[in-house]
Amino acid sequence: MKYSQIPLSQTVVTLCKTHNIKHVVISPGSRNAPLTIGFTHDDYFECYSIVDERCAAFFALGIAQQLREPVAVVCTSGSALLNYFPAVSEAFYSNIPIVVLSADRPEHLVGIGDGQTIHQKNVYGNHVVYSTSLKLDLKEDEYTISENELPIFKSLDNKKDYFLGLQNGIQSYNESEIDKALNHSKLKAAPVHINIPFDEPLYQTVDSLTINPKPFNLIGTDDIVDQVEINTLFHTWQNADRKMILVGVLQPNAIEEHLLQKLADDESVIVFTETTSNIYHPDFFPGIDKIIAPLDDDDFKLLQPEILLTFGGLIVSKKIKAFLRNYKPKQHWHVDLYKANDTFFCLEKHVELSINTFLNSFLSKITENKKSNYKAFWLSVRDKRRQKHEAYLKTIPFTDFTVFNKLLYSLPKESQLQLGNSSTIRYAQLFQLKKEINVFCNRGTSGIDGSTSTAIGSAAVSKERVTFITGDLSFFYDSNALWNSYMPNNFRIIVINNGGGGIFRILPGHKNTENFDTYFETKHSLTAKHLCNMYGLEYNTASNDSTLLKHLKTFYDQSEQPKLLEIFTPSRINDEILLQYFNFIK
């Protein structure tokens, strides 16, 4: 086995292995060569080569999203690590563990005009939970290292002992910092940044390690129930007639089934879920906008909860956010081990427990559910909305709306659905999905920039077949995502191409003008055909109901290459169909 000659590189690679970080996404470069040598020559690591750093980081995010364990991304110095930033911020707000390993110039070469050099220390600011810049290894024949790169040691008479003392101090510091960063990533399910300076020569190798680091473990967040807190919350809960539970982004199977049933059994509780919540029950309320959009002031007052209990990540529905900000509950409690967002400006309590720990303790106290017509009334509203929804589908032409209906119905059972942002996730919210389908979307920052890369990263490690549905702008924006060799043959991409950012047409403003077309909707005439030819995907198109249904019959069948289906919809009426929908179901 080959190792980089540089002790710092050996230390980083060895500690990643000790911490069970197996998946490493590498973007080519020279300054990160010592790390690339170390990772790629050790069979323990599963290494991926992704040229575009932005795509690489989102690809790693997709892997970490599925495995729920830290994934490392490795880049050279300079602007390379800035291209990681969109994925780092997404990981931060989505609680996904990414470990950024950025190679750097020695400190004495920073800020003097040396090539491919920027100020890399703490470059991600508040968007990582730990950031460290390691110390450069010493060389006996060079003393060009600045004083602030070295820990302070007592001066020794013997030059060799003095050098070894300094180097041992540097080694100890580096081991400690790497351990802290990797532990933070694991324990807090969040991104961390380790900045690693290397001096030339960069490519020399040795046959054995010259270091022997020993990891230490940080104390994790305790998932211990405070019975006094639980009792206080329970007393308030039992006295309320209207309780609303709102569930944001969750991993599949995040909440135990028997707990979901207990929530469903309570007449005074309604459970609003989103497409990304990944929980299902016949008495729950998916399709929030379908219920909220047609309501008036009197209806809102009937829906207004006394207690709002929230789980999971960020909420997609703007309508539920507007409702709860205008018709605030008396109390809002959020359950999460790490953080609570005051999304509705009325957060009363952050319960620092995992969801299952909280619900097992909390619901076990219930001996008799509160009598209430709260759930029954809104179930009747929900069922009427669903009937109107089905009726509306029979009245409208081929558009984004009808396409989503057919696509979501066509998805194979026990598969994974990755969704692009903007209009894609919002359309998906209006439809009921099969319980067996696991849904993911980058809702931490809700950007369109890396959805394709994330989906491919997920597909590379997932045991499920993965289908990715996206809009045209998002797809073309992230087209470098296809520039890799890790797409499994059963991976499917569906691009809904309405010739621009059609979602902007439903927003206030003057439409059908040159200004709007150019700067808001950004109209175009691009297709995915040439990209599919270049990257080896089977390409098909549809522009009406009959061709769409024809392709969907065989789209998910086994194939020798991944497939992409591009669906062309009319750009000028999609907004009208969507806006009329909410009036129709009222």
Side-chain angles (χ1 to χ4, degrees), residues 262-280:
K262 283 191 174 183
L263 294 174
D265 289 340
D266 195 328
E267 299 173 0
S268 64
V269 173
I270 61 175
V271 180
F272 275 131
T273 67
E274 299 206 292
T275 304
T276 51
S277 300
N278 286 301
I279 61 172
Y280 302 89

Side-chain angles (χ1 to χ4, degrees), residues 4-32:
S4 168
Q5 182 178 281
I6 300 172
L8 179 53
S9 174
Q10 295 180 19
T11 305
V12 171
V13 173
T14 301
L15 284 175
C16 283
K17 186 174 182 178
T18 305
H19 282 265
N20 301 314
I21 295 176
K22 184 175 180 63
H23 296 267
V24 183
V25 182
I26 302 171
S27 292
S30 182
R31 190 60 51 169
N32 58 332

Side-chain angles (χ1 to χ4, degrees), residues 423-424 470-478 495-502 522 524 526 566:
S423 62
T424 302
T470 182
D472 49 337
L473 291 190
S474 179
F475 175 75
F476 293 124
Y477 192 100
D478 194 26
V495 180
I496 301 173
N497 190 337
N498 54 29
T522 54
H524 65 83
L526 301 175
E566 187 167 23

Side-chain angles (χ1 to χ4, degrees), residues 249-295:
V249 176
L250 280 182
Q251 286 280 315
N253 306 310
I255 303 180
E256 296 165 12
E257 286 289 335
H258 73 99
L259 299 174
L260 297 177
Q261 186 59 52
K262 283 191 174 183
L263 294 174
D265 289 340
D266 195 328
E267 299 173 0
S268 64
V269 173
I270 61 175
V271 180
F272 275 131
T273 67
E274 299 206 292
T275 304
T276 51
S277 300
N278 286 301
I279 61 172
Y280 302 89
H281 190 281
D283 287 349
F284 288 174
F285 293 77
I288 297 173
D289 287 2
K290 244 186 320 198
I291 297 169
I292 296 285
L295 301 182

Side-chain angles (χ1 to χ4, degrees), residues 514-529:
E514 183 178 350
N515 180 276
F516 178 85
D517 290 351
T518 302
Y519 297 107
F520 290 90
E521 191 176 11
T522 54
K523 291 183 71 63
H524 65 83
S525 57
L526 301 175
T527 79
K529 181 177 181 179

Side-chain angles (χ1 to χ4, degrees), residues 84-107:
Y84 284 166
F85 213 148
V88 169
S89 60
E90 175 63 34
F92 179 79
Y93 288 106
S94 292
N95 290 110
I96 295 177
I98 297 292
V99 177
V100 175
L101 303 175
S102 61
D104 199 1
R105 264 33 179 196
E107 188 166 315

Side-chain angles (χ1 to χ4, degrees), residues 432-538:
Q432 291 175 253
L433 271 70
K434 301 168 188 173
K435 181 179 180 179
E436 300 84 0
I437 295 172
N438 297 323
V439 183
F440 296 88
C441 181
N442 287 347
R443 292 306 297 176
T445 57
S446 308
I448 69 167
D449 39 6
S451 297
T452 312
S453 297
T454 302
I456 295 173
S458 167
V461 297
S462 177
K463 295 178 181 179
E464 304 169 308
R465 65 170 77 188
V466 178
T467 301
F468 172 54
I469 303 178
T470 182
D472 49 337
L473 291 190
S474 179
F475 175 75
F476 293 124
Y477 192 100
D478 194 26
S479 60
N480 271 357
L482 305 177
W483 187 7
N484 68 76
S485 57
Y486 307 110
M487 278 183 282
N489 289 338
N490 65 356
F491 180 60
R492 300 292 181 262
I493 301 176
I494 300 173
V495 180
I496 301 173
N497 190 337
N498 54 29
I503 195 171
F504 288 99
R505 297 184 64 85
I506 69 171
L507 301 176
H510 296 289
K511 302 170 181 63
N512 302 327
T513 65
E514 183 178 350
N515 180 276
F516 178 85
D517 290 351
T518 302
Y519 297 107
F520 290 90
E521 191 176 11
T522 54
K523 291 183 71 63
H524 65 83
S525 57
L526 301 175
T527 79
K529 181 177 181 179
H530 297 296
L531 289 170
C532 290
N533 290 337
M534 182 162 61
Y535 292 117
L537 282 76
E538 181 181 317

Side-chain angles (χ1 to χ4, degrees), residues 26-317:
I26 302 171
S27 292
S30 182
R31 190 60 51 169
N32 58 332
L35 295 173
T36 302
I37 290 167
F39 284 122
T40 58
H41 283 86
D42 190 330
D43 290 339
Y44 171 81
F45 297 104
E46 185 73 34
C47 295
Y48 308 84
S49 177
I50 308 285
V51 174
D52 185 319
E53 283 90 1
R54 189 184 70 196
C55 296
F58 276 109
F59 181 91
L61 185 141
I63 297 175
Q65 174 200 82
Q66 295 302 305
L67 302 181
R68 306 307 295 171
E69 61 188 39
V71 173
V73 285
V74 180
C75 69
T76 190
S77 63
S79 61
L81 72 160
L82 298 183
N83 288 306
Y84 284 166
F85 213 148
V88 169
S89 60
E90 175 63 34
F92 179 79
Y93 288 106
S94 292
N95 290 110
I96 295 177
I98 297 292
V99 177
V100 175
L101 303 175
S102 61
D104 199 1
R105 264 33 179 196
E107 188 166 315
H108 67 276
L109 295 179
V110 176
I112 64 165
D114 209 35
Q116 208 168 325
T117 306
I118 65 171
H119 294 288
Q120 296 186 192
K121 291 183 179 180
N122 200 33
V123 74
Y124 301 119
N126 295 331
H127 291 89
V128 291
V129 295
Y130 199 85
S131 181
T132 184
S133 197
L134 303 181
K135 302 288 185 181
L136 189 72
D137 290 317
L138 289 184
K139 298 178 183 178
E140 289 187 81
D141 57 344
E142 290 186 13
Y143 294 95
T144 57
I145 313 303
S146 63
E147 292 183 3
N148 61 357
E149 283 188 294
L150 302 178
I152 299 175
F153 290 86
K154 292 181 180 179
S155 180
L156 302 175
D157 294 333
N158 185 286
K159 182 178 179 181
K160 183 175 181 181
D161 288 343
Y162 177 71
F163 168 81
L164 291 175
L166 290 176
Q167 178 59 29
N168 287 340
I170 290 171
Q171 180 67 22
S172 177
Y173 173 86
N174 287 340
E175 289 180 16
S176 175
E177 286 297 293
I178 296 166
D179 269 315
K180 287 177 183 177
L182 299 183
N183 275 299
H184 271 76
S185 186
K186 286 190 291 186
L187 296 175
K188 296 187 177 182
V192 297
H193 176 208
I194 303 175
N195 192 53
I196 310 160
F198 292 125
D199 205 354
E200 297 181 4
L202 301 169
Y203 292 88
Q204 275 78 355
T205 61
V206 292
D207 294 327
S208 59
L209 293 171
T210 58
I211 51 89
N212 184 29
K214 295 178 176 61
F216 67 93
N217 293 314
L218 296 179
I219 298 174
T221 304
D222 292 329
D223 196 12
I224 299 175
V225 175
D226 180 342
Q227 288 296 341
V228 174
E229 177 184 61
I230 294 295
N231 289 337
T232 301
L233 296 176
F234 176 74
H235 178 74
T236 305
W237 180 266
Q238 282 295 85
N239 288 327
D241 294 317
R242 300 191 308 275
K243 283 101 74 171
M244 180 184 292
I245 296 176
L246 177 59
V247 187
V249 176
L250 280 182
Q251 286 280 315
N253 306 310
I255 303 180
E256 296 165 12
E257 286 289 335
H258 73 99
L259 299 174
L260 297 177
Q261 186 59 52
K262 283 191 174 183
L263 294 174
D265 289 340
D266 195 328
E267 299 173 0
S268 64
V269 173
I270 61 175
V271 180
F272 275 131
T273 67
E274 299 206 292
T275 304
T276 51
S277 300
N278 286 301
I279 61 172
Y280 302 89
H281 190 281
D283 287 349
F284 288 174
F285 293 77
I288 297 173
D289 287 2
K290 244 186 320 198
I291 297 169
I292 296 285
L295 301 182
D296 58 23
D297 181 64
D298 290 338
D299 297 323
F300 283 135
K301 289 175 180 176
L302 291 174
L303 182 61
Q304 183 178 16
E306 297 167 61
I307 299 173
L308 172 67
L309 178 62
T310 55
F311 307 138
L314 301 187
I315 301 297
V316 176
S317 172

